[in-house]
Amino acid sequence: MSATTLLLVLDLVGIAVFGVSGALAGVDKKLDLFGVLFLSVATALGGGFIRDALIGATPAAALTDGRYLLVPVVVGLIVFYVHPKMARLSRVFLLVDAAGLGLFAVAGARKALDFGVPAVGACGIGLLTAIGGGLLRDVLVREIPTVLHREIYATAGLLAAVIVVVGDKAEFNNVATASVAISVAFGLRVISRWKQWSAPLPRITE
Amino acid sequence: MSATTLLLVLDLVGIAVFGVSGALAGVDKKLDLFGVLFLSVATALGGGFIRDALIGATPAAALTDGRYLLVPVVVGLIVFYVHPKMARLSRVFLLVDAAGLGLFAVAGARKALDFGVPAVGACGIGLLTAIGGGLLRDVLVREIPTVLHREIYATAGLLAAVIVVVGDKAEFNNVATASVAISVAFGLRVISRWKQWSAPLPRITE
Amino acid sequence: MSATTLLLVLDLVGIAVFGVSGALAGVDKKLDLFGVLFLSVATALGGGFIRDALIGATPAAALTDGRYLLVPVVVGLIVFYVHPKMARLSRVFLLVDAAGLGLFAVAGARKALDFGVPAVGACGIGLLTAIGGGLLRDVLVREIPTVLHREIYATAGLLAAVIVVVGDKAEFNNVATASVAISVAFGLRVISRWKQWSAPLPRITE
């Protein structure tokens, strides 16, 4: 399997995972079939859409390859018709979601650099690609986005984006840097969940 | 009346209708005059803005023709000052809104094809153009978007977009295809409302 | 200090002020450290991101200059760790926020004109630049945007944008026009708050 094929496969896996998370949120809010599919697509592709609109990579990537739209529709259908069994897979889901997080952060930062965005901006775009879909999902079902008030999630994505940008400036090998970045985001996310770490909360004083 | 003039008139009618729906939502939430006008504009132009940002048709169309902004402001003012009488027109409103739905889906899919977006992506953009304004409206007044959990609405828009894309691939006449697509969306929307059809809901089991 | 340096300083001051308002909203909703910083950045840069995506000024300006991201992160950290003392500065905050409002409206309208957007569209973009960050902030913390239902805020921003566009058509001096526009927005905002003016509310009748 070539590096390009590998990246495509990983990309589609990330889209599938985020699609599942959107569809589960839709089922949870008792949306109808269309609503569940729309939320699946929005969660899976939303981060990439925001990225492409901001860096000027238009038409957005997900519009030019039918598979990017097909995958979240298919996983959305599966969740809609068999979702009660999905709840039992939450451990698997955590692992795949953590991989998706790292992957989207890396793909986002990489694409921003390729479009001439400087270092700090590329880190921001990497983060936004990774969490944008989840933000959209939560806003559409009227929740304060999970990523803003719980657990170590965005931090792991940001770290992956920073590694990609630093690796790029240091002219390290792209594939090696991406692998390290995805592994770090994945590891930090899984360990923090296991150890129940969380980001600091504001001290409310008088 | 030429085809171009006809399209412009239909476009402005669709904008007016979506503007009314936004303004009514604003009045319902007791927003002030500015809030009502903003919601009117966001609902009328939001779908087109999202479309243009994603396909790279910038500056967005509604920015380059003052009438596109003027129409929702004027209908917003009318709703604000005479809205109690509007409630009595709900049957008319349903019909015009159904026409707007089909029209926006057709215009969105057509523009995406013209910007080189392939078939599946163009269907997605057609749908997003048709429902984007309503999504924005509902998110801004803190409702879970109607289109995600009630009635046959988005399905009608998606069907219109698919007809446009298929007609384009089959090299049918553009105007004829557009007319069929708008009619189908309009018919499906009105009949489904009359028959009280709705999309399937998830089966919540143990 | 040259005009360019002055504009940059004013721009960064506006970003800092909107960053503070986002961070305060995050602390108020008990978001974690990451959530507070994200809300600070989204409020500070959101209006500019929307502007740049719609007029096609990509990569968006805030991505190409690291200071634009750094400023809201730093003010977000300050709010997070010392926020209780901030509440006592509300009068200062009102004044600086009013300056930010005028400044963003002027910068937005100016940039839209430079990208070939006609008069009416440029007024709309000026307004959206000024209020877009606040809209994002309120949607993310699940509030109906303040600007849609309270006080004279958007009106002041719109007025500043209109002054810039009219000044441009009349070929007045850019710097003079901008100064007048910012002063008018600032004055209207501060006076309206002091006098407790507000926009008209809908008359709900039987």
Side-chain angles (χ1 to χ4, degrees):
Chain A
M1 194 185 281
S2 73
T4 317
T5 315
L6 179 67
L7 271 178
L8 177 66
V9 169
L10 288 175
D11 220 9
L12 292 174
V13 169
I15 286 173
V17 174
F18 283 146
V20 169
S21 108
L24 285 173
V27 167
D28 191 53
K29 292 285 175 179
K30 301 196 175 44
L31 303 187
D32 64 21
L33 175 57
F34 171 78
V36 169
L37 296 184
F38 187 85
L39 217 56
S40 177
V41 173
T43 310
L45 306 182
F49 278 154
I50 297 171
R51 174 198 63 205
D52 292 343
L54 290 179
I55 67 175
T58 51
L63 296 175
T64 61
D65 183 335
R67 287 172 295 191
Y68 282 58
L69 262 164
L70 202 64
V71 166
V73 167
V74 170
V75 301
L77 284 170
I78 296 174
V79 168
F80 189 83
Y81 286 109
V82 307
H83 76 93
K85 288 168 195 153
M86 286 253 161
R88 289 175 214 145
L89 300 173
S90 71
R91 198 165 302 179
V92 175
F93 185 73
L94 168 67
L95 296 180
V96 192
D97 179 67
L101 170 70
L103 188 82
F104 273 37
V106 167
R110 187 67 257 160
K111 188 164 186 179
L113 290 171
D114 292 344
F115 272 75
V117 175
V120 178
C123 293
I125 286 294
L127 173 63
L128 210 49
T129 308
I131 70 171
L135 288 175
L136 263 182
R137 175 197 64 211
D138 293 346
V139 164
L140 287 172
V141 299
R142 219 178 45 176
E143 298 286 345
I144 294 186
T146 317
V147 67
L148 299 183
H149 62 102
R150 286 220 308 263
E151 304 179 359
I152 303 290
Y153 190 94
T155 312
L158 181 58
L159 197 57
V162 169
I163 291 171
V164 168
V165 170
V166 169
D168 183 75
K169 298 303 161 199
E171 300 188 9
F172 289 152
N173 176 281
N174 277 346
V175 175
T177 305
S179 310
V180 170
I182 296 173
S183 308
V184 167
F186 178 84
L188 177 56
R189 171 70 186 136
V190 171
I191 293 173
S192 74
R193 180 72 174 262
W194 175 43
K195 296 281 191 188
Q196 304 199 297
W197 290 342
S198 62
L201 288 169
R203 290 166 307 121
I204 311 286
T205 62
E206 300 309 298
Chain B
M1 193 185 279
S2 75
T4 317
T5 315
L6 179 67
L7 271 178
L8 177 66
V9 170
L10 288 175
D11 220 10
L12 292 175
V13 169
I15 286 172
V17 174
F18 283 146
V20 169
S21 109
L24 285 173
V27 167
D28 191 53
K29 292 283 174 178
K30 301 193 174 48
L31 303 187
D32 64 21
L33 175 57
F34 171 78
V36 169
L37 297 184
F38 188 85
L39 219 56
S40 177
V41 172
T43 309
L45 306 182
F49 278 154
I50 296 171
R51 175 197 64 205
D52 292 344
L54 290 180
I55 67 175
T58 50
L63 296 175
T64 61
D65 183 336
R67 286 172 295 190
Y68 282 59
L69 262 163
L70 202 63
V71 166
V73 167
V74 169
V75 301
L77 283 170
I78 295 173
V79 168
F80 189 83
Y81 286 109
V82 306
H83 77 92
K85 287 168 196 156
M86 286 253 161
R88 290 176 213 145
L89 301 174
S90 70
R91 198 164 304 179
V92 175
F93 185 73
L94 168 67
L95 297 180
V96 193
D97 180 66
L101 170 69
L103 187 83
F104 273 38
V106 167
R110 186 69 257 161
K111 187 164 187 180
L113 290 171
D114 292 344
F115 273 75
V117 174
V120 179
C123 294
I125 286 295
L127 174 62
L128 210 49
T129 308
I131 69 171
L135 288 175
L136 264 182
R137 174 197 65 210
D138 293 347
V139 164
L140 287 172
V141 298
R142 219 176 47 175
E143 297 287 345
I144 293 187
T146 318
V147 67
L148 300 182
H149 63 100
R150 286 220 308 261
E151 305 180 0
I152 303 290
Y153 190 94
T155 312
L158 182 57
L159 197 56
V162 169
I163 292 172
V164 169
V165 170
V166 169
D168 183 75
K169 297 304 159 197
E171 299 187 8
F172 289 152
N173 176 281
N174 277 347
V175 175
T177 305
S179 310
V180 170
I182 296 172
S183 308
V184 167
F186 178 83
L188 178 56
R189 172 70 186 135
V190 171
I191 293 174
S192 74
R193 180 71 173 262
W194 174 43
K195 297 281 192 188
Q196 302 200 299
W197 291 341
S198 62
L201 288 169
R203 290 166 307 120
I204 310 286
T205 63
E206 302 309 298
Chain C
M1 193 185 280
S2 74
T4 316
T5 315
L6 179 67
L7 271 178
L8 177 66
V9 169
L10 288 175
D11 220 9
L12 292 175
V13 169
I15 286 172
V17 174
F18 284 147
V20 169
S21 108
L24 285 173
V27 166
D28 191 54
K29 293 284 175 177
K30 301 194 175 48
L31 303 187
D32 65 20
L33 175 58
F34 171 78
V36 169
L37 296 184
F38 187 85
L39 218 55
S40 177
V41 172
T43 310
L45 306 182
F49 278 154
I50 296 171
R51 174 197 63 204
D52 291 344
L54 290 179
I55 67 175
T58 51
L63 296 175
T64 61
D65 183 336
R67 287 172 295 191
Y68 281 59
L69 262 163
L70 202 64
V71 166
V73 168
V74 169
V75 300
L77 284 169
I78 295 173
V79 168
F80 189 83
Y81 287 108
V82 306
H83 76 93
K85 287 168 197 154
M86 287 253 161
R88 289 176 213 144
L89 301 173
S90 71
R91 198 164 302 179
V92 174
F93 185 73
L94 168 67
L95 296 180
V96 192
D97 180 66
L101 170 69
L103 189 81
F104 273 38
V106 167
R110 187 67 256 161
K111 188 164 185 179
L113 290 171
D114 291 345
F115 272 75
V117 175
V120 178
C123 293
I125 287 294
L127 173 63
L128 210 49
T129 308
I131 70 170
L135 288 175
L136 263 182
R137 175 197 65 210
D138 292 347
V139 164
L140 286 172
V141 298
R142 220 177 43 176
E143 298 286 346
I144 294 186
T146 317
V147 67
L148 299 183
H149 62 103
R150 285 220 307 263
E151 305 179 0
I152 302 290
Y153 190 93
T155 312
L158 182 57
L159 196 58
V162 169
I163 292 171
V164 168
V165 170
V166 170
D168 183 75
K169 298 303 161 200
E171 300 187 9
F172 289 152
N173 177 281
N174 277 345
V175 175
T177 305
S179 310
V180 170
I182 296 172
S183 308
V184 167
F186 177 84
L188 177 56
R189 172 71 185 136
V190 171
I191 292 172
S192 74
R193 180 72 173 262
W194 174 43
K195 296 281 192 189
Q196 302 199 300
W197 291 342
S198 62
L201 288 169
R203 291 167 306 119
I204 310 286
T205 62
E206 300 311 296

